[in-house]
């Protein structure tokens, strides 16, 4: 039986769900959407930087600092209480609807499905519980213990050791191309969830499977 590692932020969980909270504060849906996208971009950038610099801070710190940057860049001033409210809302982001149905299907099939995340385990657990996904996952594997982030090679080995799996028997399912490339480099099978119909990074490597949503993933993996 294969082991499935699902990226959390951007694959199971819709990070752009924060737009509703932002829009309520700003009374401007277009500005809220732009800040939300920029927040996510800087969140990932800060994790990459810290991984390369070997100057680790938890993903929650990267998230807070990215929010500060995105607001400053947009010349938006929010109170400390409003920023705390946004960060708390980040623990209540919605699941993609196709993630709910797929994980339920996999659970009934007895497939080992894990959450695999750059976030701290406790925060990811709370997020997935709030989104109604936690019961259909066998466990959550966080990179926090290693004090670095995906796509560092050792985080993929950490997953294998934690999940008691082998690289050639493990699939990464992710909407993030950097994560797909990291897993391929580690010898894993990969499935890219390309919801935005975007081009893949031109590195001369491609995912084993590409799907527009999680709906048909089980069939594509031959489960």
């Amino acid at each position: 039986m294969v082991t499935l590692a699902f990226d959390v932020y951007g694959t199971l969980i819709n990070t752009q769900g924060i737009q509703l909270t932002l829009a309520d504060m700003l009374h401007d849906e277009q500005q809220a959407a732009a800040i939300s996208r920029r927040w996510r971009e800087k969140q990932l950038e800060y994790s990459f930087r810290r991984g390369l610099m070997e100057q680790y801070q938890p993903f929650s710190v990267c998230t807070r600092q990215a929010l500060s940057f995105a607001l400053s860049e947009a010349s938006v001033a929010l109170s400390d209480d409003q920023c705390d409210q946004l960060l708390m809302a980040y623990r209540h982001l919605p699941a993609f609807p196709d993630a709910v149905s797929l994980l339920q299907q996999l659970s009934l099939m007895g497939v080992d499905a894990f959450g695999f995340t750059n976030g701290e385990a406790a925060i990811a657990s709370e997020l997935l519980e709030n989104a109604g996904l936690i019961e259909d996952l066998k466990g959550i594997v966080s990179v926090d213990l290693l004090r670095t982030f995906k796509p560092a090679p050792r985080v993929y080995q950490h997953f294998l050791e934690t999940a008691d799996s082998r690289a050639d028997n493990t699939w990464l399912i992710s909407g993030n191309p950097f994560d797909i490339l990291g897993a391929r480099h580690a010898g894993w099978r990969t499935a890219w969830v390309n919801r935005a119909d975007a081009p893949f990074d031109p590195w001369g490597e491609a995912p084993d499977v590409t799907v527009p949503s999680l709906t048909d993933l089980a069939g594509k993996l031959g489960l």
Side-chain angles (χ1 to χ4, degrees):
M1 182 68 74
V2 299
T3 298
L4 305 184
F6 285 87
D7 171 63
V8 174
Y9 294 95
T11 305
L12 296 179
I13 298 294
N14 183 2
T15 58
Q16 296 310 302
I18 200 67
Q19 287 183 29
L20 293 177
T21 306
L22 270 168
D24 285 343
M25 290 182 181
L26 303 177
H27 308 292
D28 185 330
E29 293 184 2
Q30 185 174 357
Q31 186 180 47
I35 291 175
S36 176
R37 287 192 299 271
R38 191 60 166 151
W39 184 3
R40 174 62 171 165
E41 290 170 358
K42 297 302 288 189
Q43 178 195 54
L44 291 174
E45 180 186 332
Y46 288 173
S47 70
F48 295 157
R49 284 194 209 174
R50 290 194 176 278
L52 287 169
M53 293 167 63
E54 298 181 355
Q55 190 184 62
Y56 180 76
Q57 289 289 339
F59 198 62
S60 58
V61 173
C62 296
T63 301
R64 178 181 288 275
Q65 292 174 340
L67 172 61
S68 179
F69 178 91
L71 292 173
S72 178
E73 184 180 56
S75 299
V76 170
L78 296 180
S79 68
D80 290 344
D81 285 345
Q82 286 176 309
C83 289
D84 288 343
Q85 183 181 341
L86 284 168
L87 291 165
M88 185 55 64
Y90 220 83
R91 301 188 184 197
H92 293 265
L93 292 170
F96 285 106
D98 55 358
V100 177
S101 57
L102 175 66
L103 290 184
Q104 289 174 347
Q105 178 186 359
L106 294 174
S107 180
L108 291 172
M109 295 169 63
V111 175
D112 288 346
F114 291 81
F116 182 33
T117 180
N118 274 342
E120 301 98 301
I123 293 176
S125 295
E126 180 182 356
L127 172 65
L128 291 165
E129 182 174 4
N130 291 334
L133 299 179
I134 194 75
E135 291 185 357
D136 293 314
L137 291 168
K138 186 172 182 179
I140 298 169
V141 180
S142 168
V143 306
D144 190 48
L145 287 175
L146 301 184
R147 298 180 63 81
T148 191
F149 296 105
K150 303 176 191 177
R154 59 195 179 101
V155 306
Y156 299 96
Q157 181 60 35
H158 170 63
F159 177 92
L160 298 179
E161 294 170 357
T162 303
D164 192 24
S165 186
R166 305 188 319 270
D168 62 357
N169 200 43
T170 301
W171 283 82
L172 176 77
I173 296 92
S174 181
N176 297 305
F178 73 85
D179 201 5
I180 295 291
L181 289 167
R184 281 187 58 83
H185 180 69
W188 292 25
R189 307 291 299 280
T190 57
W192 182 35
V193 187
N194 185 13
R195 290 189 171 94
D197 192 25
F200 195 72
D201 292 324
W203 284 29
E205 299 183 57
D208 295 287
V209 168
T210 298
V211 291
S213 75
L214 292 171
T215 302
D216 299 319
L217 184 67
K220 290 286 187 178
L221 300 187
L223 299 176

